[in-house]
Amino acid sequence: KITAPIKASRGEILDCYGRPIATNREGYNVVFNYASINKNTINDTILSLIKLLGNHEWEDDLPLTDTAPYSFDKEASETSIKRMLDMLDLAHYATAKNCFDALVKRYSLEDRDIKQQRLIMGVRYTMERAGFSISVPFTFAEDVSDKIMTIISENTDIYGENGVSIEIASFRNYDNAS
């Protein structure tokens, strides 16, 4: 028996005069589904999505800096760095370079340039940490534009066959005017 959580939209909040304080709106999330993923092309799919998103943020919790020379992210907690070292089976004194090299090998990124390696490993690491599986889809990006939603929906041969789908989600808006 497989179960999966479904997020329900939250109730609206009104002030004593009936004016909205918090309301809901629908938007789109880009989601990876484990059962449909193509393990041979996942790295290409991630790069394609990153390019498509442009300046829109995507999920990347890797505790390494975003730009070379790669080092441990100063904003990352010691716990998150230790978790990464444990996942990679590296000693506590391992360097950021040791971690980077281990991730390149873990996610088969040897044939990529260093920028692509960092982009892909950030997403793949976050997927793995989130428990991505048959029963746990991975939300790659939240609240994407209608344009991005349309491109992904219309290109099922590129995205759909590689485990990517669009899901409608509820997002909270807070009205500060009242």
Side-chain angles (χ1 to χ4, degrees):
K1 181 178 175 181
I2 296 175
T3 60
I6 298 174
K7 294 179 184 174
S9 60
R10 297 163 62 191
E12 295 189 346
I13 301 172
L14 307 175
D15 69 10
C16 63
Y17 300 105
R19 295 179 300 213
I21 296 172
T23 57
N24 299 316
R25 66 175 174 77
E26 285 189 346
Y28 305 103
N29 290 345
V30 179
V31 178
F32 275 95
N33 300 294
Y34 189 87
S36 307
I37 208 157
N38 183 335
K39 290 175 179 50
N40 297 322
T41 60
I42 186 168
N43 294 338
D44 293 326
T45 303
I46 290 169
L47 278 180
S48 176
L49 285 170
I50 289 171
K51 183 177 179 183
L52 177 63
L53 288 177
N55 292 330
H56 190 94
E57 290 187 19
W58 59 89
E59 294 298 317
D60 180 343
D61 296 332
L62 184 63
L64 296 176
T65 56
D66 292 338
T67 55
Y70 299 103
S71 59
F72 293 119
D73 190 341
K74 287 181 178 38
E75 294 180 20
S77 69
E78 282 188 39
T79 304
S80 66
I81 293 170
K82 183 181 179 332
R83 233 186 339 246
M84 177 178 60
L85 293 171
D86 290 345
M87 185 180 100
L88 297 172
D89 201 24
L90 295 173
H92 70 279
Y93 52 81
T95 65
K97 173 94 169 92
N98 297 140
C99 295
F100 192 93
D101 293 343
L103 289 163
V104 166
K105 185 174 182 181
R106 184 181 196 95
Y107 302 127
S108 303
L109 302 172
E110 295 86 356
D111 62 336
R112 307 287 178 158
D113 70 48
I114 195 166
K115 285 184 179 182
Q116 290 178 344
Q117 288 173 339
R118 174 57 184 88
L119 290 170
I120 295 167
M121 74 175 57
V123 175
R124 299 279 307 268
Y125 174 83
T126 306
M127 288 172 121
E128 193 171 343
R129 290 279 313 127
F132 180 53
S133 64
I134 293 271
S135 59
V136 181
F138 175 72
T139 301
F140 174 75
E142 293 183 333
D143 202 13
V144 299
S145 68
D146 290 350
K147 179 182 176 185
I148 291 171
M149 178 275 299
T150 302
I151 290 169
I152 292 172
S153 298
E154 289 177 349
N155 290 284
T156 55
D157 57 323
I158 297 169
Y159 298 110
E161 291 179 12
N162 290 298
V164 178
S165 64
I166 294 292
E167 289 186 357
I168 297 173
S170 180
F171 293 95
R172 197 74 156 168
N173 284 339
Y174 295 94
D175 184 5
N176 295 332
S178 41

